[in-house]
């Protein structure tokens, strides 16, 4: 059974987040709130946890997992970023955007796209997520909590508990999130390319939509 922690979204109880961080650090899979939807997360360096994350989500190694980072300086440790890319990132972070970037050698090869050597990164604007990242001291490996065969992410922690109680080790309930996933923008090529329209508005970054 998953440990269930109910926390305040703006002033989360640190003792609960510390317990959640300890379980994640020990290899647990967690469902946590973000500024878009709930996400499945695990420790960056735990191979078995990453495999469990993919299995629960129902995706293979060609699906981009995302690194949740505290800020742009942390993001730059895991992705190669030029001046053009950095300007866009600065406009969009923190916020509900995921960027596909060329991975650095800091990223384990098993976590990047198998043929492209790219990784998804983002800086979430959610107090609970940020506090967890601070407690762990490194990014979290994440994927939007969309059940296999469905199109929309889960929005209610109680619903997540009913459906995933035996597969997760931690559920952090900070109330309802948006039902929208992040907007995904591929910055790994010469031009910024909109991959998925989500909660973030790409027009704010000067990226036109169809």
């Amino acid at each position: 059974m998953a440990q269930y922690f109910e926390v305040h979204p703006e002033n989360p109880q640190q003792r609960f987040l510390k317990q959640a961080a300890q379980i994640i650090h020990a290899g647990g899979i967690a469902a946590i709130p973000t500024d878009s939807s709930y996400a499945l997360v695990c420790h960056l360096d735990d191979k078995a946890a990453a495999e469990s994350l993919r299995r629960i989500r129902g995706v293979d190694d060609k699906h981009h997992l995302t690194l949740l980072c505290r800020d742009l300086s942390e993001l730059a440790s895991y992705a190669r970023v030029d001046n053009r890319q950095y300007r866009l990132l600065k406009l969009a972070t923190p916020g509900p955007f995921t960027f596909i970037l060329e991975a650095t050698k800091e990223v384990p090869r098993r976590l990047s796209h198998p043929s492209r050597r790219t990784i998804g990164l983002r800086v979430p604007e959610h107090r609970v997520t940020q506090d967890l990242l601070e407690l762990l001291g490194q990014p979290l490996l994440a994927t939007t909590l969309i059940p296999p065969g469905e199109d929309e992410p889960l929005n209610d922690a109680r619903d997540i508990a009913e459906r995933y109680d035996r597969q997760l080790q931690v559920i952090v309930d900070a109330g309802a999130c948006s039902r929208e996933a992040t907007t995904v923008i591929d910055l790994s090529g010469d031009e910024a390319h909109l991959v998925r329209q989500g909660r973030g508005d790409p027009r704010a970054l000067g990226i036109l939509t169809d």
Side-chain angles (χ1 to χ4, degrees):
M1 287 181 61
Q3 287 264 62
Y4 193 96
F5 300 114
E6 193 168 347
V7 300
H8 192 281
E10 301 296 335
N11 189 24
Q13 299 90 322
Q14 293 300 303
R15 68 184 187 280
F16 293 151
L17 294 188
K18 286 177 182 176
Q19 290 180 64
Q22 288 169 356
I23 295 169
I24 293 169
H25 195 272
I29 310 295
I32 67 168
T34 75
D35 53 347
S36 56
S37 63
Y38 273 82
L40 292 174
V41 301
C42 70
H43 195 282
L44 169 63
D45 298 323
D46 193 313
K47 182 179 179 180
E51 290 173 352
S52 293
L53 191 97
R54 290 185 186 277
R55 187 168 56 252
I56 294 167
R57 178 69 167 75
V59 296
D60 60 20
D61 62 355
K62 294 180 177 62
H63 179 86
H64 271 106
L65 297 179
T66 299
L67 294 186
L68 300 182
C69 299
R70 284 175 287 183
D71 52 36
L72 277 184
S73 64
E74 190 171 66
L75 183 149
S77 298
Y78 295 92
R80 301 184 190 279
V81 179
D82 61 24
N83 290 336
R84 173 187 65 89
Q85 295 165 331
Y86 187 83
R87 285 193 294 270
L88 282 176
L89 293 169
K90 198 168 182 181
L91 282 173
T93 57
F97 291 89
T98 298
F99 293 95
I100 297 173
L101 292 156
E102 183 184 353
T104 67
K105 292 180 180 178
E106 297 294 320
V107 178
R109 195 159 193 86
R110 60 186 167 75
L111 300 182
S112 59
H113 191 280
S115 60
R116 296 179 58 202
R117 190 65 177 135
T118 51
I119 189 76
L121 296 107
R122 84 181 194 92
V123 180
E125 189 174 22
H126 194 289
R127 174 68 186 277
V128 173
T129 322
Q130 282 286 344
D131 283 5
L132 272 172
L133 291 170
E134 186 70 33
L135 287 165
L136 284 159
Q138 67 177 135
L140 279 164
L141 190 63
T143 184
T144 304
L145 211 176
I146 303 174
E150 299 185 24
D151 297 321
E152 289 193 342
L154 296 182
N155 183 47
D156 183 272
R158 295 287 176 187
D159 184 23
I160 294 168
E162 287 180 12
R163 299 174 67 164
Y164 289 96
D165 185 56
R166 295 184 180 278
Q167 295 173 272
L168 304 178
Q169 284 68 55
V170 181
I171 297 169
V172 179
D173 180 357
C177 296
S178 164
R179 287 196 75 93
E180 290 184 277
T182 56
T183 290
V184 180
I185 297 171
D186 190 340
L187 294 181
S188 64
D190 293 333
E191 299 291 334
H193 171 63
L194 180 65
V195 176
R196 178 181 73 193
Q197 174 71 65
R199 190 174 179 216
D201 185 354
R203 293 172 298 180
L205 310 180
I207 299 170
L208 300 178
T209 58
D210 294 334

